[in-house]
């Protein structure tokens, strides 16, 4: 099954050189989630993992993605949780 991991934070956080960089993620800021996901041209059944700076952002994104017809979305909650869980998702 195809899977993607979306970092919903602003691009400046995704591209910064600090410890919050998380490899193997695609940056689509929350405000651009609808247009960004369309650009990826993925199946509605693709497993989509999302995380944001805080839990609230990922919940908003999940709601928007569900309205667009995506059915396999997993909330990684925030940066701290994503850093712990992503290595398990990738391998």
């Amino acid at each position: 099954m195809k899977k993607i991991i979306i970092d919903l934070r602003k691009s400046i956080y995704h591209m910064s050189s600090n410890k919050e960089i998380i490899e193997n993620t695609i940056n689509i800021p929350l405000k651009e989630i609808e247009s960004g996901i369309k650009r990826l041209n993925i199946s509605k059944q693709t497993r989509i993992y999302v995380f944001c700076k805080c839990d609230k952002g990922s919940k908003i994104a999940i709601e928007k993605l569900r309205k667009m017809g995506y059915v396999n979305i997993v909330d990684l909650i925030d940066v701290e949780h994503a850093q712990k869980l992503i290595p398990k998702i990738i391998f």
Side-chain angles (χ1 to χ4, degrees), residues 3-16 18 20-40 48-53 57 61 65 79 82 86:
K3 54 189 167 187
I4 62 168
I5 305 167
I6 299 176
D7 180 347
L8 297 162
R9 298 175 296 164
K10 294 179 182 176
S11 297
I12 191 168
Y13 295 109
H14 182 78
M15 297 177 0
S16 69
N18 66 31
E20 291 191 350
I21 272 192
I22 300 181
E23 294 182 19
N24 301 306
T25 63
I26 299 168
N27 182 233
I28 304 176
L30 178 58
K31 290 184 179 184
E32 301 169 19
I33 190 64
E34 289 133 327
S35 61
I37 201 80
K38 285 179 185 176
R39 281 193 303 272
L40 294 178
I48 303 172
Y49 296 88
V50 296
F51 70 93
C52 199
K53 189 173 181 179
L65 291 168
V79 174
I86 287 174

Side-chain angles (χ1 to χ4, degrees), residues 3 5 49 76 81-91:
K3 54 189 167 187
I5 305 167
Y49 296 88
L76 296 178
H81 286 94
Q83 287 173 323
K84 292 176 186 173
L85 295 172
I86 287 174
K88 295 175 185 173
I89 294 167
I90 297 171
F91 299 108

